[in-house]
Amino acid sequence: MMCLRKFLVAMGSGNSFLHRDDDDVLGTEYDSSQGVLKTIPNEVKPRPRLGGGVRSVRSISKQQKNGSLRSALSVDMENPEVEKIRKDFEMYRLSKENELTNIRKKEQKLETENRRLRAELQAKEKTCQKQKEERDSALEAEHRAQMRAAAIEHDRDKIQHLFKIFRETKESELRNLLKAKQTLESKLAKLGGSAFEDPETTSRLETSGAFGNHGDWWATLDSEPSVGSLTHHHRSTYHGPEFLQPSIVDPDGLYVNINKDDWIAATATLANGYLMIPESVPSNRFVVYLTGTPDTQQELDLLCSKYSNQLRHTCNMEGHLFTLISMPGVIDEDFAFSQEKHVQARCREIDQCHVSVIFIGTQSSRFVEMDVNYGTLRCCSYKKTIVCFKDTAHGQDVSEFCELRSRLTEEGKAKVLNYSEVEDGVDLVFQEIVPYLKHISDKKEKGGLVYQGVNLEEPLLDWGTAVWDNLHDFEQLEAFRSACQSTCELGFERYYERLNAHILAAGPLPPLLICGAAGSGKSLLLAKWMELQLYRMNSGSLLLYHFVGAPSSCTADPMLMIHRLTSQLMQQVNAIASLACDNSLLMEEFPKWLEKVSSRMPGGIILVIDSADRFQKVETHLKWLVDPLPVDLRVIVSARHDQIPAAWKSWPSVVLEGMNSARNVKDLLQAELSSQGTLLSEEHEDRILTHCLASPSCSPLYLILMTSFVTRCYNDRSLDSNLDLLLSTSDTTHLYQAIISHIIDECRSSSVADLIQGILLAVYASRNGVSEAELFGAFSELTAVVWSTLRLLLTDFLVLTLRSGLLVFAHEQAREAVAEMFLNECDREEKLKKIYRRLYEHHSSCTRFSEVTCRTADELPWICQQLEDNTGLELCLTNLSIFVKLFVRGRCFELVTYWQNLGADKIKISQSYMSAAKKLEDHCNSESVTLTSVADIYEAIGRFIMNHCTLSEALNPLQRSLELRETSLDPDHPVIARSLHFLALLHERQSKLTTAEPLYKQALEIYEDSLGKDHLLVIKQLDALVLLYKKLGKNSLAEPLQKRSISVKKKLKGHLMTTMNIKATETLQKKVLELDDLTIGPPSVELARTINEIGVLHYLQGNFGLSESLLIRSLEMRSAILKEDHPDLAQSLNNLAALYNDRKLYDKAAPLYERALEIRQKLFPVEHVGVTSIIKNLGILYKKTGQLDKAEPLYQKMVESKEKSFGACHPAVATAIVNMAVLYSQMGNHSAAEPLYERALKIYEETLDPYHPRVSETMVNMALLKYEQGDFQTAAKLYRRATEIKDNESVSNGKGISPPSMSIEASATLPRVTNDDDKQIDL
């Protein structure tokens, strides 16, 4: 049974061979742990029926019942089928075992890989979680930092706001003190009597005095040294030479702490301030004052008739207005005004003229004698006086004229000419005037403003006359200076705070609107506030402004303002691009330029527009004000409260309240009276105050006009009656009417009264004003004698004023008063047309090509439009000289507007200009016009048509311009390249890109050959080609050209910046060099002071040779006229010694320092700054030259002076002690140096901090001392301690890097810590 059981276990039971589904199943017992079922296909024969031939096992067992089991089984096992099955099974089993083995191996491998990946996943999850935590902590830290930054910024803004309020309050107090000082001085001058004063000069002095001395920022300061200045190895601060002390208390003057580097750094700031607020605005007027004795009237008439037109033409060529004022030597008894007014008028003319010509014969004249004396007295660098003496028939002169000639010759203040014949004298005068005229023109051109708005592209060629004030920069500056002339600020301090708050507020912000009634002081408020902003010059802001004049003037054209401001913005970033010609394109670019430049300025841009309600089409052209402004742009706009556009009413506003209190009225009245040196009685003052308070329309302008009138009528007996007349007026317009009526009543002639009316109407009817020459041309009955007195009255009573050489109304209310007085509704049109006809006749007489001026181009088309003369307007527009004058100044939009008023289409405009150009070309010889000028005109016409008309019509003028230039010029001339450029541009706009490409290339080659590869025009051609290639899709050709263009632009921008700085420095240097004229004269204290100051200025500029000669001359002069111990002598010695010390001429500097120190020690205590400065410089000099024994007592004196000034325990004393210890160390006296180091270290630790950098630096010096003494262990400890302090400082500063500690052996190679050139800081 056991054998059977084993067999069954090994082979399976018989039932295992047959499945219930007739399939063989194996392995259920063989591998029960795995439980894998395997199916083996077997061919089983059909089972026979019971009782058949095949016997069953049971029957066999019955038959062999008595046999053994083995014998029974052996019968079946020997069956071949069973054997086959067994073999198959064995083979199958072995194959499956191999498969299972392989599967188990793969499973183990996969499990190992799974465990590895699971471990990596867990590691990644941990890393991700850690990064999330770090990110959350970083975000939280960033949030906390932002909260802290916001709090700090809020505190900073608050402190800054409080500081500005405090500063403005103190500035206001200072201004009030200065005003009080001026009031007391004027009263004192009035009570004590005063000599003749020029009212314009007085007003200028008062205006400049209100802001203090411009050199106050160079005041002497005694400051503590910086941290780095306390060790041996740092450079000492060298103090430059000194100006003359204003008193014994301040012997060092203003420039004691200014060295050459400070001068260079300050040059840009001074230049900006000078360019933005010059002392005098350049004028385009050239005035010749002509007079003579009665017997020289023939000379006067001949000069006027023979040379006046030539002089006027010469002035026109230079872009200036010429005025000839011929005053007779004798006045008729029936003269329209009093002789007193005539004398004042003559003096005023001499003051404002450039050349005074005086002819003297044999007859005497008190007016001529007065003119000679006054003219020579007022002689200056911009004024020339010519005195012509006529020889008598007998060769003898009148004795008094002989004395006058000798005196003028000796003084040298006038050019003295002698002549015998009338024509000879006139010719001599003309030969003197013309060179001086050109000299003055060149000086004005070179000394003008930087912002001239000149287009950076190559200008057009010969256009006839020059262009003055292309973009009205001078006119705007003059308007700004005129608005600042008031002496009282009307309590503007409360408005300044609001303006400053608007500037400092976070943006973007809408414009701030300043509104008020007419004459309430809006322009004055803005001008005074801008003046304060410009004088501070520390905010880093760019201030732009625009003052609008009459509604019909060019200043009221918003496009002209945008053109001018865009030019200034482009110059701030050294932009190479040119201004757009199209108005719509320019309006799109202007806000972009504002945003671009404001983002680069530290303080942003401040744009001030005064009287914006007078603009033409304000809502159309100024719609950019309604749009969101850039963040760093602040706009301030002023307007009358009754004329504010509807879109502006939502802006934040400041309303000027006007004269609503008795205190304001009284303050303004007293300030104006004090500025004029006039004292009214209490009765008169009470009457004026009562009237102003009772009048609801009283304004500051109303009170200023009344005060001006009262001041000029003060000596008149009819003051009471005139005052009654003024007090009867209710507002400013009626007050102006009363003033004009008073001027007319002063005339003794009805014809002069009619002239006054005509002149005022001419100013009213003009567009931008009228010049004096235009008045003389329009009114033939007007003489220079009458006009000089009229102009005196009209300007003194603030009716008219000169603006850019033109007569305009001083205020808009004067214009309204003239209209109400002389232009009634019934005859208004008739009178205006009469005036227009006078002006038209004058301007139309100067329409030849070489005679047309900018004045004619501005006024003549406008007058034709007012007269509704379409024929005359078309003649003006087709006059190519007028066209050129408007085109070259960027006034194409005016031309287009005029043509639109005529109803002309674009084709007609093009054909009209082409026909006019062809006529000029046909008659170019008779018109004295060259082919080059005609080619320029063709180019201007082509560019105008291309930008404003049809493109197809622009081809003919541009092509003709190129043909004429190729005929008259060299083929490689740059102007030909310009013609090619515009032709290519035209083809490009017509989408003819392949035609434009060779033209651009040819223009580029000509520019490179003639101008060089780094020229501005080469850049423009490169940019044009790059754009063209990109349109053609040729990027491979565009990229190298674009890179080259960028490279050249960088070079050019640097060159432009350097050029601007050089020009600014040259401007200041020219102003300094002009002072050299003051060094001539006999020796005196004042002359020595002047020479010393000029020598110091030359020293600061680096002109050492000239500075040395001037300082030596000042020293010699002071040595001759002053005592040996005078402080001025010590100053000259110190200045010259400082110059030699800077040039390393120590042998010359030492004795001068010693002598200066000896003088000052007698006059001042040792702690005085004048003494300590010399002690310091002399001590350093001795140390440089190795004279340590001489330096020792000086260093000891420095310690004593510091102890007297600050006490025994002060860081400044410790610094002086350290310097003394360093000197002893260099002398080898270590025993004396050690206690000094210890004392200084103790002071530093007690007064500062044990871990202060000064403590560390002192320990380093002590370590060096111990090292030299051989005490290496102590030296190492001290150096290690100093290193720890430095490490703490580095960690606190966020550096986190500390030097390694040094052993004693390493410290043995440590070099001595010394300063440059073996010098140290002394205080």
Side-chain angles (χ1 to χ4, degrees), residues 786-801:
V786 175
W787 167 242
S788 61
T789 309
L790 277 180
R791 187 166 70 88
L792 175 70
L793 294 174
L794 292 173
T795 54
D796 284 352
F797 285 115
L798 302 180
V799 178
L800 298 179
T801 186

Side-chain angles (χ1 to χ4, degrees), residues 632-644:
D632 298 322
L633 174 65
R634 298 293 178 269
V635 180
I636 302 175
V637 179
S638 70
R640 293 176 60 170
H641 60 81
D642 56 345
Q643 298 181 2
I644 300 175

Side-chain angles (χ1 to χ4, degrees), residues 520-532:
S520 58
K522 301 182 293 296
S523 301
L524 177 61
L525 169 64
L526 294 177
K528 289 290 186 181
W529 179 78
M530 287 192 298
E531 196 170 28
L532 290 177

Side-chain angles (χ1 to χ4, degrees), residues 564-625:
R564 183 177 67 87
L565 296 180
T566 305
S567 175
Q568 295 187 5
L569 291 172
M570 293 172 65
Q571 294 185 21
Q572 287 295 323
V573 294
N574 294 331
I576 298 179
S578 58
L579 287 172
C581 298
D582 190 5
N583 282 356
S584 58
L585 183 60
L586 185 60
M587 290 184 63
E588 293 178 1
E589 292 179 353
F590 180 60
K592 298 178 182 178
W593 279 109
L594 286 173
E595 183 175 4
K596 180 179 180 180
V597 178
S598 62
S599 63
R600 298 188 179 187
M601 304 299 295
I605 295 178
I606 303 173
L607 175 58
V608 179
I609 304 176
D610 179 57
S611 302
D613 54 297
R614 301 178 189 171
F615 273 126
Q616 306 162 7
K617 300 179 181 180
V618 59
E619 295 183 353
T620 303
H621 294 100
L622 296 184
K623 61 181 180 180
W624 53 273
L625 288 175

Side-chain angles (χ1 to χ4, degrees), residues 47-48 50-52 54-67 69 72-73 75-76:
R47 184 179 296 177
L50 295 174
V54 181
R55 294 179 297 178
S56 64
V57 178
R58 186 176 181 180
S59 62
I60 294 175
S61 62
K62 289 182 178 181
Q63 292 178 359
Q64 299 179 353
K65 185 175 180 180
N66 296 324
L69 179 61
L73 292 174
V75 177
D76 288 333

